[in-house]
């Protein structure tokens, strides 16, 4: 899951003024997006068992600014901020009869990708060994 980039309308920026506070305010949205509510989902109950989903959340933010150019070359300005957020499920807490159990999520795509990388390394190693024996 990726959160859309936050932007500030460049038409509202005075070309001669870099508004650092606007950049900081926009980046402040990252802090709000990276809250504990993103890591632990809303609990729900099924047949007397409470399930709390858990995710791994990572994010980052950045900002930019600008300035004018040489007086003979005309104006110039720039501005920009943004942030990104990614989340992956890692498991659930299962609460049943007063006992808590951790149930990790199995990411089949990630396992398959790891197997493919391992197979590729094995093929390369076998090929190198066979080529070395011929020489």
């Amino acid at each position: 899951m990726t959160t859309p980039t936050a932007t500030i309308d460049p038409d509202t920026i005075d070309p001669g003024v870099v508004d650092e506070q606007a950049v900081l305010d926009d980046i402040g949205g990252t802090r709000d997006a990276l809250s504990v509510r993103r890591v632990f989902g809303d609990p729900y109950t099924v047949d007397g068992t409470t399930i709390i989903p858990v995710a791994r959340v990572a994010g980052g933010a950045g900002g930019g600014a600008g300035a004018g150019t040489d007086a003979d070359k005309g104006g110039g300005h720039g501005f920009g901020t943004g942030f990104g957020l990614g989340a992956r499920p890692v498991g659930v807490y299962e609460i049943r009869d007063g006992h808590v159990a951790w149930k990790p999520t199995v990411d089949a795509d990630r396992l398959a990708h790891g197997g493919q990388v391992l197979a590729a390394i094995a093929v390369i190693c076998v090929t190198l060994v066979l080529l070395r024996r011929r020489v």
Side-chain angles (χ1 to χ4, degrees):
M1 177 174 115
T2 303
T3 301
T5 302
T7 59
I8 295 176
D9 183 7
D11 296 331
T12 63
I13 303 300
D14 180 0
V17 177
V18 175
D19 188 358
E20 292 178 18
Q21 188 59 45
V23 173
L24 294 175
D25 289 344
D26 202 33
I27 292 174
T30 302
R31 179 175 35 99
D32 298 334
L34 293 174
S35 71
V36 71
R37 303 271 306 157
R38 300 278 185 205
V39 176
F40 297 100
D42 293 328
Y44 59 93
T45 303
V46 177
D47 296 330
T49 301
T50 301
I51 305 293
I52 302 172
V54 181
R56 177 175 289 132
V57 179
T69 60
D70 187 39
D72 296 335
K73 296 181 181 178
H77 71 284
F79 204 87
T81 61
F83 72 93
L85 177 68
R88 274 196 1 228
V90 293
V92 298
Y93 282 108
E94 181 180 276
I95 305 169
R96 179 184 307 171
D97 300 326
H99 300 295
V100 178
W102 169 250
K103 306 287 183 171
T105 301
V106 177
D107 188 350
D109 289 337
R110 195 168 188 193
L111 289 174
H113 180 71
Q116 291 170 342
V117 169
L118 185 61
I121 291 171
V123 167
I124 290 169
C125 290
V126 168
T127 302
L128 290 174
V129 167
L130 292 175
L131 289 174
R132 187 152 180 103
R133 285 186 180 179
R134 286 186 176 183
V135 175

